[in-house]
């Protein structure tokens, strides 16, 4: 999902980190879908304390841009 992640990063300004640069999370959806099933997965991490509404507003255009390819 590197291309999708890069596109999201460009559209949102969020930092992109490859999953192999992070601590492993066995049993997570990302590990299961991404590694086991080979399905591209983009996990977005928001800082603690952010409201769902502000998180959505901050990344809505980028999320939709990745989904529709805009």
């Amino acid at each position: 999902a590197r291309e999708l992640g890069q596109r999201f990063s460009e559209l949102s300004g969020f930092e992109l980190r490859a999953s192999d640069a992070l601590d492993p999370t066995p049993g997570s959806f990302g590990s299961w879908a991404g590694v086991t099933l080979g399905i591209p997965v983009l996990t977005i991490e928001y800082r603690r304390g952010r409201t769902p509404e502000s998180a959505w507003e901050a990344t809505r255009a980028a999320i939709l841009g990745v989904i529709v390819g805009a």
Side-chain angles (χ1 to χ4, degrees), residues 19 22-36:
S19 58
L22 305 172
D23 292 332
T25 53
S28 74
F29 176 80
S31 294
W32 175 71
V35 177
T36 305

Side-chain angles (χ1 to χ4, degrees), residues 39-66:
I39 299 170
V41 175
L42 176 61
T43 301
I44 304 167
E45 298 280 347
Y46 297 101
R47 295 209 183 271
R48 186 178 306 257
R50 186 165 211 167
T51 66
E53 294 81 8
S54 72
W56 172 246
E57 288 304 317
T59 54
R60 174 182 51 178
I63 292 169
L64 296 176
V66 168

